[in-house]
Amino acid sequence: MARTVLVTGAGRGLGRELAWQYATGGWQVIACGRSRPVHGTETGIEFQPLEVADPASISALAARLTGRPLDVLVNNAGVRSPLSGLDRLQPEEFLDVLRINTLGPLLLTRALRANLRLGSSPVVANIGSRAGSMAEGLLDDDDDDYAYRCSKAALNMATVQLARDLQPDGITLLSLHPGWVKTDMGGAEAVLPVEESAKALRSIIAAAKPEYSGAFLAFDGRSVSW
Ligand code: NDP
């Protein structure tokens, strides 16, 4: 039987590519997005509306998916701040980024826990960022987007706590850094084609084992320091 993956933020960028590659590989794909793709979804890809910042939207999605086994959940949807920099930081904008990048993945994972329990060797992949690493984030990156960095650091903690809480269900959690990827977010100067990043992330997810649950890995398989 085909395995099932759910990808958030699947309308463009990395999420879209992941959905496409999984579908091409024979997976059943549930592609979630804020709006239905203008040109419809590719063959074999099911669209489900999801606004990850809205707990009601998450609950409604979980209700629609009741009883359906889920093998992989990719919490991919993410945003940066409209304006970065300490002086331009706005409290509500900061919290909006955390709602999308941190709270959304946490609530969605909780909401789909029963589906993951029905899956085989279930994995939750939280797409994080090296920008959220306290040890590595500032080494060669002068980004000053406080909300983005904080949201991804907090997502790492959510990954670790979820790894412990979902361990009895056999659900493996990963935080994944996709590299600097050529997408709307990564920009044209990014070094990694989206196809390569998605392919690498799929390999890591496929190789995930319960004993590594809670790990923070880069697209090239390297362990990223917290
Ligand atoms: P893009 O900006 O290209 O795409 C972001 C996706 O997230 C879109 O599909 C967008 O949907 C969706 N999204 C944003 N907000 C919401 C929301 N509130 N509810 C539902 N969906 C939402 O980003 P990337 O593809 O580059 O990034 C994917 C992930 O990878 C993100 O988590 C990002 O932080 C992470 N990452 C990316 C890097 C890069 O270099 N690109 C580097 C490190 C990490 P919509 O079309 O509706 O806006």
Side-chain angles (χ1 to χ4, degrees):
M1 213 174 86
R3 305 192 78 210
T4 302
V5 58
L6 186 149
V7 183
T8 67
R12 60 190 166 94
L14 186 58
R16 184 173 194 273
E17 181 63 26
L18 281 165
W20 167 245
Q21 289 192 16
Y22 273 112
T24 308
W27 285 61
Q28 280 189 11
V29 178
I30 302 170
C32 296
R34 288 193 272 206
S35 54
R36 188 174 286 277
V38 183
H39 302 296
T41 46
E42 317 277 357
T43 314
I45 298 182
E46 166 188 348
F47 173 78
Q48 286 284 350
L50 176 66
E51 163 58 72
V52 299
D54 178 7
S57 177
I58 289 175
S59 300
L61 174 70
R64 293 195 299 277
L65 299 181
T66 301
R68 288 179 61 177
L70 193 59
D71 304 295
V72 174
L73 164 61
V74 185
N75 282 310
N76 163 80
V79 290
R80 297 180 57 87
S81 299
L83 293 173
S84 57
L86 182 59
D87 293 337
R88 290 184 293 196
L89 192 156
Q90 297 292 330
E92 274 314 310
E93 288 175 359
F94 184 96
L95 293 174
D96 284 345
V97 173
L98 263 80
R99 273 186 202 99
I100 296 169
N101 292 3
T102 314
L103 185 58
L106 177 55
L107 294 180
L108 186 61
T109 303
R110 185 180 70 175
L112 296 179
R113 182 177 184 174
N115 304 80
L116 289 158
R117 256 194 227 122
L118 297 173
S120 105
S121 306
V123 177
V124 177
N126 290 328
I127 305 300
S129 173
R130 187 166 171 257
S133 158
M134 282 177 240
E136 297 188 24
L138 297 169
L139 289 182
D140 51 11
D141 180 353
D142 57 6
D143 186 8
D144 57 358
D145 186 338
Y146 277 76
Y148 186 72
R149 283 195 189 280
C150 291
S151 72
K152 294 298 188 178
L155 180 63
N156 281 345
M157 191 65 233
T159 299
V160 171
Q161 177 76 52
L162 282 166
R164 190 172 73 180
D165 287 345
L166 304 192
Q167 191 260 340
D169 295 333
I171 301 169
T172 298
L173 268 291
L174 296 174
S175 261
L176 298 178
H177 168 58
W180 186 19
V181 191
K182 289 180 195 290
T183 60
D184 293 340
M185 184 186 287
E189 287 176 8
V191 293
L192 203 58
V194 68
E195 297 82 3
E196 272 181 43
S197 174
K199 187 174 172 212
L201 294 176
R202 283 195 308 119
S203 297
I204 292 174
I205 293 168
K209 292 202 167 51
E211 52 266 40
Y212 305 138
S213 194
F216 183 18
L217 302 172
F219 68 100
D220 55 6
R222 187 179 66 87
S223 186
V224 186
S225 299
W226 298 111

